[in-house]
Amino acid sequence: MNNVKSLNKWANAHTYLPLDLLRMGLGVFLFMKGVYFVSNTQYLVDLLSPIDRFDKFGGGMFLVHYIAPAHLIGGILIFFGLLTRWAIIAQLPILFCAVIINFMGHMHQQNLLLAILTLGLCIFFAIYGGGKNSADYYFKMEK
């Protein structure tokens, strides 16, 4: 009976661990996407080509220089749980556009599914926050 109580206490103290691991996985995924976009800039330009048809002011090149650093820096911040909501808010326009671009140009079902899943996770963590095992929580409790 004592073992059950101690296991129950441990489980109650660590219930946030799966959500924190999911947040950390999202951060690693976004960071890796940023690394991929930096190393394969032409792929990112090709992904954004449907927008260039409607863009008369050269905003496509601005997007190329916004998306990769936002994923790199945002992925690191999300992984550590530092300024989590702000980092995710910076990701939301990119992910909304990632979903929309699939309908404007050639449909990539795998990219669409990945963008929708990532967008859903980002919306969840924008509401939920960094979690119990994050730098945000640590600094909040340090006060």
Side-chain angles (χ1 to χ4, degrees):
M1 186 68 161
N2 197 15
N3 287 338
V4 173
K5 285 183 181 180
S6 65
L7 286 175
N8 194 17
K9 285 182 182 180
W10 182 88
N12 287 336
H14 295 88
T15 54
Y16 297 106
L17 187 62
L19 289 177
D20 289 330
L21 290 175
L22 186 63
R23 175 188 42 89
M24 293 170 78
L26 176 66
V28 168
F29 172 74
L30 289 173
F31 179 78
M32 294 306 293
K33 273 303 220 186
V35 168
Y36 183 74
F37 287 151
V38 167
S39 63
N40 297 321
T41 309
Q42 187 59 41
Y43 177 72
L44 183 57
V45 170
D46 292 341
L47 282 176
L48 296 174
S49 64
I51 292 176
D52 286 337
R53 287 185 276 172
F54 303 108
D55 185 22
K56 305 287 187 225
F57 302 109
M61 200 44 68
F62 169 75
L63 290 175
V64 168
H65 288 90
Y66 170 69
I67 291 172
H71 279 341
L72 285 170
I73 296 168
I76 292 171
L77 290 175
I78 292 168
F79 178 81
F80 289 110
L82 184 62
L83 302 172
T84 307
R85 287 191 174 111
W86 287 104
I88 286 178
I89 288 171
Q91 304 296 321
L92 289 177
I94 298 170
L95 295 171
F96 279 123
C97 289
V99 172
I100 292 170
I101 282 177
N102 277 295
F103 294 109
M104 290 174 65
H106 181 66
M107 174 76 74
H108 297 282
Q109 293 176 349
Q110 184 179 7
N111 288 349
L112 178 64
L113 181 65
L114 207 54
I116 290 172
L117 181 67
T118 308
L119 178 63
L121 283 173
C122 281
I123 290 172
F124 171 75
F125 283 113
I127 295 167
Y128 178 74
K132 197 171 183 180
N133 297 317
S134 67
D136 289 338
Y137 185 80
Y138 173 76
F139 290 130
K140 181 180 168 186
M141 289 297 140
E142 192 175 79
K143 287 183 180 181

